[in-house]
Amino acid sequence: QVRLVESGGGLAQPGGSLSLSCEASGSFFSVYAMGWFRQGAGHQREREMVATITIDDRPKYADSVLGRFTISKDDDTNTVKLQMDNLKPEDTAMYYCCFQATGQNYWGQGTQVTVSS
């Protein structure tokens, strides 16, 4: 069994910052990347990639967050983090942690981020 638990979401002002954390537990097989995805409240589209990081520490960011968000991981604690700076209202969404493995992705329950004045 694999379990991913996110934390750190909440309310922030435009221009503010939040730090998200995802701690994973259980047995993993052939994990090649970890990442964060998001989907706006009430939106029925497939969730969007925000940032990913490979097991050899290569990050990739969506154009909309490049220069504002930073993804990092700690292999010793099975933790992936997302530092979000200079937040914008359009960043408002449910954020999901994902561990990507061959043949299967593992998802957290999501943490809500709201950016509003």
Side-chain angles (χ1 to χ4, degrees), residues 37-101:
F37 296 71
R38 69 187 183 187
Q39 185 169 354
H43 208 293
Q44 297 303 308
R45 294 183 60 188
E46 186 174 337
R47 60 190 60 171
E48 304 171 306
M49 188 274 289
V50 177
T52 61
I53 185 167
T54 61
I55 57 174
D56 56 341
D57 296 309
R58 292 178 294 168
K60 184 177 181 180
Y61 300 94
D63 290 342
S64 59
V65 307
L66 186 65
R68 301 188 297 118
F69 292 8
T70 303
I71 189 171
S72 62
K73 66 179 179 70
D74 186 336
D75 294 328
D76 293 332
T77 59
N78 292 322
T79 300
V80 60
K81 296 183 177 181
L82 185 69
Q83 177 66 41
M84 303 184 294
D85 297 318
N86 193 22
L87 285 163
K88 302 177 180 180
E90 51 262 43
D91 295 320
T92 296
M94 183 72 73
Y95 283 70
Y96 298 90
C97 174
C98 180
F99 278 42
Q100 299 166 290

Side-chain angles (χ1 to χ4, degrees), residues 18-48:
L18 287 172
S19 182
L20 307 183
S21 181
C22 174
E23 183 179 358
S25 61
S27 298
F28 297 88
F29 298 91
S30 301
V31 174
Y32 61 87
M34 305 81 163
W36 291 91
F37 296 71
R38 69 187 183 187
Q39 185 169 354
H43 208 293
Q44 297 303 308
R45 294 183 60 188
E46 186 174 337
R47 60 190 60 171
E48 304 171 306

